[in-house]
Amino acid sequence: MKIDPVKLTKKLVSFKSITPRDGGAIEYIATILKKSGFDCEILEFGDGGTKIKNLYAKYINGVPNLCFAGHVDVVHPGQLKGWTLDPFSPEVRDGMLYGRGAADMKSGIAAFIAAMVNLVAEKFQFSGSISALITSAEESMEEYGTKAVLKWMESKHKKIDYCVVAEPTSSEKLGDTIKIGRRGSATFKLICHGKQGHVAYPDLADNPIYKMVSILSKVKDTTFDNGNKYFQPSNCEITTVDVGNDTDNLIPGLITASFNIRYNNIQTPDNLYKLIDEICSSVTNDYKLSMHSSRGTFLSTPDRNIDIMLDAINKVTSIDATLSTSGGTSDAAFIKDVCLVIEFGMVNKTAHQVNECVLVDDVHKLTAIYKEFIKNYFYPSNKILNQINVVGNASEGPLLA
Ligand SMILES: [Zn+2]
C-alpha cells in the first residue's frame, strides 16, 4: 500500500477536529497504519465528560525506536466570512492546498505517515522501530494529549530513542528552519488588594492601582538574562490589567493583572516565581501571586541526527536550514523528558489564520525529506558519520536566525 501525502492531507483536513476533538482523524490514521502492519493503540484520557483521543503506533519491535509526533487538533476557524472556502472542505487552487490545519499541522502528519508507510511498502529494512505519536489535544487540554501518552508509555516500559515533531517550523521556504529547542512559558496572575473608598476621601481608602502599576513597571524593567548561544533573552509581556470599575468617584478595592514570561534554558519557573515574588513584596504585602507553567524549555544540542536532518533537507530543497529556538511552545517540551527531540515541518506563515494553506509541492517535498531522514537515521552515510557534531562546533556566535 502506498500513500499520496496530498490526498491524505486533504482527507485529514476534512475531519472537523477543533481542539480538543479529533473528529474521526485518529481512527482514520490508525486504520491506515494497521493495514501497513503497525501495532496501534488508541488511548483515551480526560476527566468527566471530555475524552481526548490519542494514538501510539509502532512498526516492528526493535531498538532504536524513531518516533514522529504531531497533533490533529486545530484551532477554531474563527469568523467564517473571512474564509474563501469552507475551512473543513479542503481545496487545491493554483498549487496551494487550503483548509484549517493545512499548515498546522495535518500536512506534516500526512507527510510522515506517507514516508513511513511508503518505506514499508518498498520493503525498507528498518534496523529498529519506527513509530507515530499523534494527539488531538495540543492546541488545548494538553494534559490529556502527548503528556498523558508519554506517562502511559512509561508505565508500559515503551521507549522512544529519538523524536521528530512535524510542527510547521519553516518560516519563508520549506527547509529554512529546524527548531532544536523552545523557550518555556510561565503565566503569572497577580492580585493587589487595597481599600475601597470615595475619591474625595483618599486618606480613608487605599488605591491598589498604584501598587500594581509600580510592580508591573518593575517587572517590565527587569533583565532576566541576556540569552545565550542558542536562546534569545527571556522576555515578559503584560497581557491584561483589570479593575472593572466604571464608577467615577470610587477608588477600587482590588486590581488583577496577568503576564507571561517566555523563558530560556538559563531560567526555571521556580526561579522566575521567586524573582517576581520579591518584586511584588518590595512594593506591597497585600498581594496574591500565582503561576502556571505547563510546557518547559528544552534544547537538543546539535548532534548526528540534526546533521542527518540538515542533509535530508538540503538534498531535497538545496536549502541550508537554520537551527532555531524561537517561537511558541509545542509538545516537544513534553517529549524532551523522554528523549532528544527536534521539530521540522512546513511553512508556518498561515498557521491559525483564515485561508490557512500550504504549497502542494511542499507536501511532497516534506515527505521526501522525512523519508531521507528515516533512511539515514537507520543507516547513516559515511558523509554523516564523518561530520558528526560539525554543526555544533562550527559556529562561535549565536546559531539563531
Ligand atoms: Zn501545531
Side-chain angles (χ1 to χ4, degrees):
M1 182 183 65
K2 283 232 177 184
I3 286 178
D4 175 342
V6 176
K7 275 190 194 156
L8 180 55
T9 305
K10 284 178 80 175
K11 182 72 190 174
L12 294 180
V13 171
S14 73
F15 292 110
K16 205 171 174 182
S17 56
I18 297 173
T19 188
R21 284 176 289 271
D22 80 300
I26 293 279
E27 290 277 0
Y28 183 81
I29 294 168
T31 309
I32 294 176
L33 291 176
K34 263 184 213 157
K35 267 190 210 160
S36 196
F38 283 69
D39 282 330
C40 295
E41 306 252 17
I42 290 179
L43 304 153
E44 289 189 89
F45 303 110
D47 54 8
T50 325
K51 284 275 177 259
I52 308 292
K53 267 194 183 170
N54 301 276
L55 171 67
Y56 178 63
K58 188 176 176 191
Y59 184 75
I60 315 182
N61 235 337
V63 181
N65 176 14
L66 169 63
C67 181
F68 281 79
H71 63 90
V72 290
D73 59 321
V74 296
V75 292
H76 196 276
Q79 288 281 341
L80 285 180
K81 67 176 193 296
W83 286 80
T84 56
L85 76 163
D86 174 348
F88 299 102
S89 301
E91 269 179 45
V92 172
R93 291 180 196 162
D94 301 325
M96 303 291 287
L97 195 164
Y98 289 85
R100 172 55 85 227
D104 186 9
M105 54 169 281
K106 289 175 169 175
S107 52
I109 289 181
F112 74 68
I113 298 288
M116 297 191 301
V117 167
N118 295 350
L119 279 169
V120 171
E122 289 160 22
K123 308 236 178 315
F124 175 76
Q125 295 297 309
F126 298 91
S127 64
S129 297
I130 185 106
S131 58
L133 194 172
I134 300 173
T135 183
S136 56
E138 195 271 350
E139 303 285 6
S140 69
M141 297 186 78
E142 69 267 18
E143 295 295 306
Y144 303 120
T146 301
K147 193 177 173 181
V149 176
L150 293 172
K151 216 167 151 192
W152 169 85
M153 287 177 69
E154 194 190 355
S155 74
K156 302 279 176 193
H157 308 289
K158 294 177 188 289
K159 278 187 73 179
I160 301 174
D161 295 284
Y162 198 75
C163 186
V164 176
V165 180
E167 284 282 356
T169 57
S170 301
S171 55
E172 294 295 326
K173 281 187 168 171
L174 176 72
D176 61 14
T177 311
I178 300 174
K179 302 267 183 198
I180 59 165
R182 295 268 195 171
R183 290 180 298 173
S185 167
T187 297
F188 290 80
K189 292 214 182 306
L190 174 63
I191 303 171
C192 282
H193 296 277
K195 189 179 176 218
Q196 188 181 308
H198 196 299
V199 291
Y201 302 97
D203 46 323
L204 299 177
D206 174 20
N207 194 335
I209 295 176
Y210 303 119
K211 301 174 195 173
M212 183 63 88
V213 168
S214 171
I215 291 171
L216 292 182
S217 81
K218 283 188 180 196
V219 169
K220 189 57 200 155
D221 287 344
T222 301
T223 302
F224 297 100
D225 53 67
N226 295 310
N228 56 27
K229 181 175 176 183
Y230 297 107
F231 283 97
Q232 297 167 293
S234 302
N235 179 59
C236 175
E237 289 301 323
I238 295 156
T239 51
T240 186
V241 180
D242 300 288
V243 181
N245 176 21
D246 29 60
T247 309
D248 292 345
N249 56 1
L250 184 88
I251 292 171
L254 182 144
I255 178 169
T256 63
S258 298
F259 42 96
N260 181 278
I261 300 178
R262 291 298 159 114
Y263 62 93
N264 55 36
N265 63 349
I266 301 168
Q267 306 294 341
T268 66
D270 286 349
N271 283 350
L272 290 169
Y273 182 88
K274 231 180 113 199
L275 187 70
I276 300 292
D277 194 49
E278 276 166 16
I279 292 173
C280 293
S281 60
S282 73
V283 173
T284 174
N285 290 322
D286 219 355
Y287 68 93
K288 206 175 145 221
L289 180 68
S290 60
M291 182 192 70
H292 171 74
S293 175
S294 66
R295 291 185 179 109
T297 181
F298 80 93
L299 174 71
S300 297
T301 44
D303 65 353
R304 185 197 85 150
N305 294 325
I306 291 176
D307 284 349
I308 291 174
M309 186 58 92
L310 286 164
D311 263 28
I313 291 167
N314 186 272
K315 196 170 175 188
V316 176
T317 66
S318 302
I319 288 175
D320 290 322
T322 301
L323 307 180
S324 163
T325 59
S326 65
T329 72
S330 85
D331 279 351
F334 299 134
I335 298 168
K336 67 104 172 47
D337 292 336
V338 302
C339 68
L340 284 174
V341 54
I342 56 168
E343 300 174 51
F344 174 69
M346 299 294 274
V347 173
N348 57 26
K349 263 184 176 173
T350 61
H352 295 206
Q353 295 188 6
V354 295
N355 297 322
E356 182 175 345
C357 60
V358 289
L359 272 169
V360 168
D361 212 29
D362 281 355
V363 185
H364 290 296
K365 282 184 184 162
L366 184 63
T367 309
I369 292 169
Y370 288 158
K371 254 179 113 171
E372 189 65 22
F373 178 82
I374 296 168
K375 285 183 188 171
N376 280 300
Y377 175 84
F378 289 111
Y379 303 101
S381 62
N382 282 336
K383 188 183 159 209
I384 288 290
L385 291 172
N386 290 333
Q387 74 185 46
I388 289 175
N389 287 329
V390 162
V391 178
N393 297 332
S395 173
E396 286 300 311
L399 280 170
L400 299 176

